[in-house]
Amino acid sequence: MRILVISDIHANLTALEAVLADAGPVDETWCLGDMIGYGPDPNEVLERMRSLPNLFCILGNHDVAVLGQMDDAVFNTEARRSLTWQKKSVSPENFAYLKSLSQAALVREKVTLAHGSPRDPVWEYILNTLVARLNFDAFKTPYCFVGHSHIQCIFHLDDMRDHVSLEILLPGEVLKMTPRAILNPGSVGQPRDRDPRSSYAIYDPLASTWESRRVEYDVSAVQKRIQAAGLPEKHAARLSEGW
Ligand code: ZN
């Protein structure tokens, strides 16, 4: 069984199409939020996502902001500029779709799905082992999948020693999963680990494996659309370098 795990597409249709093509046939797609924000293609991304069969999706902080359910002042100036543009651009159908999704963490079989963290699903970043350790008490399943930090990694809890380790995952590496762990597939549309390639993961619940993957996409085409839409130059520049 192959489950495509994606997060933080950030209105980048070119990156999303590259990931869907590279992943090949999958049984289900799990999306950990932030389909929009930053990028030039909010409607196209939402429509493409809605067309996927067996999709399970939760909201991220940018999605919640576009729904008007969060004060934009919490975002930096450039992110806010992009959000204002996205709010005006999103069609009524796509708005209704976003509104139907959950801000809370979801449980799918052995996995809890959250955008930021199980303790604070919309906002908290799990960037270090201390925050990860606190979050292991906030979910009951063997595994938790999160996005939000845009970094492909795994936090593993060694129950006997009450110790959490952090491992940055290498593309193409197939990891045999052992409980308990918090795993991040990285970001489809705006990677932040200095590798501009799109990140995602393939999860096989029967074999208990997780494969971190990367795929190149046409960054300059997306940068041109960002510029044409009058969105912040910074959001175009960062895509070339992956930050
Ligand atoms: Zn994000």
Side-chain angles (χ1 to χ4, degrees):
M1 190 174 185
R2 300 177 88 240
I3 296 172
L4 171 62
V5 186
I6 52 177
S7 192
D8 299 277
I9 302 159
H10 284 301
N12 183 338
L13 181 69
T14 311
L16 175 62
E17 292 291 7
V19 164
L20 295 174
D22 191 62
V26 294
D27 299 289
E28 293 183 4
T29 299
W30 296 358
C31 174
L32 307 171
D34 274 3
M35 286 184 282
I36 54 180
Y38 296 120
D41 318 310
N43 281 310
E44 293 81 354
V45 162
L46 289 168
E47 267 141 38
R48 189 69 177 98
M49 292 299 289
R50 287 165 57 197
S51 77
L52 297 176
N54 304 320
L55 171 70
F56 296 88
C57 192
I58 54 174
L59 295 172
N61 49 317
H62 286 255
D63 307 316
V64 172
V66 166
L67 284 173
Q69 295 172 0
M70 180 185 286
D71 187 353
D72 287 1
V74 295
F75 290 88
N76 68 44
T77 317
E78 280 128 339
R80 207 159 56 229
R81 241 176 83 199
S82 171
L83 281 170
T84 305
W85 178 84
Q86 305 224 350
K87 271 185 195 170
K88 280 187 277 176
S89 312
V90 170
S91 71
E93 295 76 27
N94 287 329
F95 190 89
Y97 170 67
L98 277 180
K99 219 171 165 189
S100 73
L101 301 177
S102 172
Q103 288 189 37
L106 284 184
V107 174
R108 293 279 305 150
E109 294 138 31
K110 285 185 276 185
V111 184
T112 300
L113 308 178
H115 177 63
S117 77
R119 181 168 83 149
D120 179 359
V122 171
W123 267 111
E124 185 176 43
Y125 289 90
I126 305 184
L127 288 166
N128 59 53
T129 53
L130 176 64
V131 174
R133 176 64 195 91
L134 296 169
N135 271 288
F136 274 106
D137 295 333
F139 67 100
K140 293 191 168 66
T141 50
Y143 305 109
C144 177
F145 297 171
V146 298
H148 197 37
S149 72
H150 300 206
I151 310 279
Q152 271 182 339
C153 64
I154 174 172
F155 293 92
H156 191 262
L157 173 67
D158 179 344
D159 248 338
M160 302 290 279
R161 293 193 299 141
D162 193 23
H163 177 263
V164 175
S165 57
L166 163 63
E167 195 184 333
I168 302 296
L169 297 168
L170 298 173
E173 194 177 3
V174 180
L175 179 91
K176 182 76 186 167
M177 296 161 72
T178 52
R180 294 175 74 222
I182 299 172
L183 296 109
N184 192 321
S187 166
V188 169
Q190 195 193 79
R192 291 184 190 158
D193 57 359
R194 299 277 166 189
D195 179 344
R197 295 177 298 167
S198 267
S199 349
Y200 69 99
I202 299 289
Y203 165 55
D204 183 336
L206 302 176
S208 283
T209 56
W210 173 276
E211 182 182 359
S212 289
R213 298 178 67 155
R214 302 300 285 244
V215 61
E216 278 182 35
Y217 69 95
D218 186 353
V219 171
S220 66
V222 184
Q223 289 172 323
K224 281 182 196 135
R225 292 201 299 279
I226 288 176
Q227 281 147 4
L231 292 168
E233 180 58 35
K234 184 180 161 189
H235 296 170
R238 67 191 305 174
L239 295 180
S240 312
E241 287 152 34
W243 53 274

